[in-house]
Amino acid sequence: MAAFRVTTEPMLAAAARRKPHSSDAVLIDANENPLGPSQPARDAMSAILAQGGRYSDELTDNLVDIFAKMEGLNRDYIRIVVGSTPALALSVLTFTSPQKSYVTADPSFELGMNTADHAGARVVKVPLSKTYAHDVKAMLAAGSDAGLFYICNPNNPTGTMTPHSETEYLVANKPKDSVVLVDEAYIHFTETQSALDLVKADKDVIVLRTFSKVYGMAGLRCGLAIARPDLLDKFMQRGGYNFMPITAVVAATASLEDASLVSERRRINATIRQQTFDWLSRNNYSFIPSESNCFMLETKRPGQQVRDAMAKENVLIGRVWPIMPTHVRITVGTQQEMDRFQSAFQKVMKA
Ligand SMILES: Cc1ncc(COP(=O)(O)O)c(C=O)c1O
């Protein structure tokens, strides 16, 4: 079934990951959060384990209510999903077709491109602008037959931002029946404006959020699809209804209720990222400045060679995008992991 031919971030990371890797390898290749779930999230999961024999749909309803209140949304505009992957794949399968193209930045997260390709849709890749934002005017020009415009903000892999005004421009000028999907998987690492206001204004906009990144719950699987109810129905019903794992739901709820979690983790990520950038600059290595938990590092030789050499040093770094063959994606890990990254990178580059 097309719906299950989806190439996810862990699949993309694992496809290139050295196997087996040793247990003390530095894993900065899949944009995971090394901090894992917060303590309140862990406590909530432990407390709910005994109820694992029940579907407990009311816990999911409660999570919807809390998010709706936090963001000033009507609860019908929100669906809880097992990570944002299925919502992204289903929206691509619903709004693209052999007649309706998928328009994305390049480089950007490949899940949508691969899904559209499997569905027989034209995949239109538009290079990022000089400031590494989505070039929405070029996306509009190239996508007169668009079914879905994909905006990843901040972008994976560059960690760069697209101003809200650009997303508004895209929404105001897109072909009538097309949809704009704004993937906000990494938005919590920044203080940028979300596109949720466009959903509230009943535009043809889908916003995706996930608990996999700042909240450190990638292995627990919880995300949010937010859109006008008629849009949500159109794509979510293709995946059928399923219950959520209650561990993920209570951990997500505890994470949202923790008022300082996002700002604290944003600060930790920014501090380690800046330390890494300072070290790279001091050592004359080039990189694209990022506001997220990943960035593109220039290797001045085929990026894959550097990945292979780094893997021999037990440091697994992220993949290469065809449009930037001499760059690799680096995830910001813990300070200790980034120290090991620095020693290994210096050794590899000086070899
Ligand atoms: C931009 C982006 N969107 C969506 C996802 C999917 O994340 P998940 O299914 O864990 O929510 C990822 C994963 O890395 C991502 O980078």
Side-chain angles (χ1 to χ4, degrees), residues 9 83-85 109 150 152 156 183 185-186 210 212-213 221:
E9 173 66 41
S84 51
T85 293
F109 187 46
Y150 178 68
C152 189
N156 176 6
D183 186 338
Y186 301 92
T210 179
S212 296
K213 305 300 175 182
R221 313 307 298 139

Side-chain angles (χ1 to χ4, degrees), residues 25-335:
V26 173
L27 302 181
I28 48 172
D29 58 345
N31 287 357
E32 294 154 337
N33 188 336
L35 302 178
S38 68
Q39 194 57 49
R42 293 175 199 208
D43 293 343
M45 288 191 283
S46 304
I48 205 75
L49 283 181
Q51 287 180 52
R54 306 277 172 203
Y55 293 113
S56 299
D57 224 15
E58 71 285 357
L59 296 172
T60 304
D61 292 341
N62 180 46
L63 177 56
V64 169
D65 286 337
I66 289 170
F67 186 75
K69 199 161 165 214
M70 271 177 74
E71 299 290 350
L73 282 156
N74 188 319
R75 70 187 314 287
D76 314 346
Y77 283 58
I78 303 164
R79 294 288 163 83
I80 310 293
V81 279
V82 279
S84 51
T85 293
L88 175 47
L90 288 171
S91 59
V92 173
L93 290 170
T94 303
F95 299 111
T96 73
S97 69
Q99 291 75 39
K100 294 262 175 203
S101 65
Y102 175 78
V103 185
T104 175
D106 193 20
S108 194
F109 187 46
E110 311 95 317
L111 192 154
M113 308 179 199
N114 296 342
T115 307
D117 193 47
H118 291 319
R122 190 167 74 97
V123 176
V124 183
K125 296 185 188 178
V126 178
L128 291 170
S129 73
K130 284 201 180 69
T131 58
Y132 300 100
H134 289 62
D135 186 344
V136 297
K137 292 204 171 96
M139 290 172 84
L140 283 165
S144 55
D145 64 343
L148 193 70
F149 290 94
Y150 178 68
I151 302 282
C152 189
N153 201 28
N155 191 40
N156 176 6
T158 51
T160 50
M161 306 299 311
T162 296
H164 187 265
S165 54
E166 297 292 306
T167 308
E168 273 181 309
Y169 183 89
L170 174 64
V171 172
N173 292 284
K174 69 177 184 59
K176 192 170 158 291
D177 293 328
S178 62
V179 171
V180 176
L181 189 151
V182 186
D183 186 338
E184 296 187 342
Y186 301 92
I187 195 155
H188 303 99
F189 290 111
T190 76
E191 288 183 83
T192 197
Q193 190 183 343
S194 160
L196 281 179
D197 62 316
L198 301 173
V199 173
K200 287 181 207 166
D202 282 336
K203 305 288 183 194
D204 298 326
V205 174
I206 300 166
V207 171
L208 299 183
R209 294 275 183 93
T210 179
F211 288 89
S212 296
K213 305 300 175 182
V214 89
Y215 297 109
M217 290 176 40
L220 292 162
R221 313 307 298 139
C222 192
L224 296 147
I226 308 128
R228 231 172 42 227
D230 65 293
L231 272 185
L232 274 179
D233 282 349
K234 257 194 201 149
F235 70 96
M236 290 303 295
Q237 73 191 12
R238 287 183 69 120
Y241 181 78
N242 206 343
F243 293 93
M244 286 291 298
I246 61 169
T247 39
V249 171
V250 295
T253 307
S255 301
L256 288 185
E257 285 177 330
D258 185 340
S260 58
L261 180 62
V262 170
S263 55
E264 174 67 3
R265 288 185 166 199
R266 183 191 301 138
R267 189 187 60 71
I268 293 170
N269 177 68
T271 305
I272 300 170
R273 189 182 63 216
Q274 192 55 48
Q275 189 282 339
T276 308
F277 288 172
D278 292 346
W279 180 86
L280 289 168
S281 300
R282 271 200 311 279
N283 289 279
N284 296 318
Y285 296 120
S286 305
F287 56 90
I288 300 174
S290 149
E291 298 189 38
S292 185
N293 72 336
C294 64
F295 64 93
M296 287 301 252
L297 174 61
E298 195 178 338
T299 50
K300 297 201 166 130
R301 62 180 100 155
Q304 189 56 44
Q305 280 178 17
V306 174
R307 298 189 75 218
D308 292 343
M310 291 290 283
K312 289 202 182 102
E313 301 301 319
N314 220 7
V315 176
L316 306 189
I317 60 171
R319 58 189 178 273
V320 178
W321 269 253
I323 193 175
M324 299 178 86
T326 57
H327 282 77
V328 286
R329 188 189 68 188
I330 307 293
T331 303
V332 178
T334 61
Q335 186 61 61

